[in-house]
Amino acid sequence: MPTRRHFVTGLAAAALLLPAAVDAAPARPPLTVFAAASLTDALQVVAKAYTARTGQPVRFSFESSGTAARQIAAGARADLFVSADSRWMDDLAGRNLLAARRDLLGGRLALVARAGSNIRLRLQPGAPLATALGPDGRLAVGDPRSVPAGRYAQAALTRLGLWSTVEQRLAPAQDVRAALAYVARGAAPLGIVYESDAYADRAVRLVSLFPAASHPPIVYPVAVLRGASAGASDFYRFLSSGPARAIFARYRFRPLG
């Protein structure tokens, strides 16, 4: 049977534990970020740096900007959105779903081949792109109907006079990373992705960069969504911090602002 001494001892032990419980900061709930598939590698590294500083986890849904924007418009729960172009961000702005927005990154459009390929091609008007694909090869691109990289690709090929030569030989993908995977696996001899994607997979190599004037500027806007969780604005600001900018530059993005 417990004695009075045991009871007092138990109270003292509890009192020793009390300050630690009171002082312990409550765990911050994770942030949810919907982002363009091309940002998969860079954003995850940036998020680790942010979590190390703040203790707040960040979880991602990476897919095509169009798919992500449609999900947000349909009511999917997210705190921030990072798009690969302004069109889908403008769509959400028109629905009054953004609390804050700015342009975060710039990029370049690239033609890639499998690492072991000997294809050489300079992207310019009249370039023999269709010939480089071979008799049966297809050109991997993000689906131009919903994927920003696909729309940039169509614009660039049209400007260079090459769209009509390959329009019927496309391998459209659900997002730019899927197009990259087609090339990496050998399912397509060539693909059009972002420069950052070209360095994300050792199974592919950069063949050529598209002339910057051949397509609209590649801009990645970021936004805090209305009703975002606490900490969303902190991560929004961190994305433009010195440490984050250095990470993005390492992954071949061009920090803006």
Side-chain angles (χ1 to χ4, degrees):
M1 180 175 179
T3 66
R4 178 179 175 80
R5 181 173 63 82
H6 289 137
F7 181 72
V8 172
T9 302
L11 285 177
L16 290 174
L17 294 175
L18 185 59
V22 171
D23 293 340
R28 302 180 73 180
L31 296 173
T32 299
V33 179
F34 281 26
S38 53
L39 290 164
T40 299
D41 305 288
L43 266 185
Q44 289 186 104
V45 176
V46 170
K48 287 181 181 178
Y50 173 79
T51 301
R53 286 174 175 240
T54 67
Q56 184 167 35
V58 183
R59 58 192 177 193
F60 293 97
S61 175
F62 291 108
E63 46 206 327
S64 77
S65 298
T67 298
R70 285 192 293 266
Q71 290 176 348
I72 293 169
R77 180 73 182 86
D79 299 303
L80 294 97
F81 175 42
V82 192
S83 175
D85 73 352
S86 296
R87 172 180 167 180
W88 291 110
M89 195 67 83
D90 291 343
D91 180 76
L92 295 183
R95 299 171 188 268
N96 198 31
L97 295 176
L98 308 184
R101 169 185 176 175
R102 70 168 178 275
D103 289 340
L104 179 66
L105 302 168
R108 295 288 304 273
L109 196 64
L111 183 71
V112 295
R114 202 172 185 190
S117 166
N118 60 3
I119 294 175
R120 299 285 185 271
L121 188 68
R122 181 181 177 186
L123 290 167
Q124 58 187 358
L129 179 59
T131 301
L133 290 172
D136 302 311
R138 292 187 172 272
L139 178 66
V141 296
D143 190 334
R145 295 173 298 179
S146 59
V147 181
R151 286 202 299 274
Y152 291 128
Q154 182 175 354
L157 293 173
T158 300
R159 184 69 177 270
L160 296 175
L162 305 176
W163 177 251
S164 61
T165 69
V166 296
E167 184 179 3
Q168 302 303 317
R169 302 184 62 184
L170 301 181
Q174 64 182 8
D175 58 49
V176 72
R177 284 301 173 92
L180 182 71
Y182 288 168
V183 179
R185 296 198 307 261
L190 291 169
I192 299 177
V193 297
Y194 298 117
E195 180 185 15
S196 52
D197 298 305
Y199 290 92
D201 191 332
R202 293 183 179 180
V204 305
R205 65 174 179 82
L206 177 69
V207 174
S208 181
L209 290 173
F210 280 83
S214 67
H215 56 80
I218 296 172
V219 176
Y220 288 77
V222 58
V224 177
L225 301 173
R226 291 201 177 276
S229 305
S233 294
D234 292 338
F235 187 56
Y236 177 77
R237 287 190 292 270
F238 183 78
L239 289 172
S240 293
S241 68
R245 290 168 65 89
I247 292 168
F248 285 129
R250 192 163 74 240
Y251 281 86
R252 306 296 176 120
F253 292 98
R254 182 169 56 89
L256 301 177

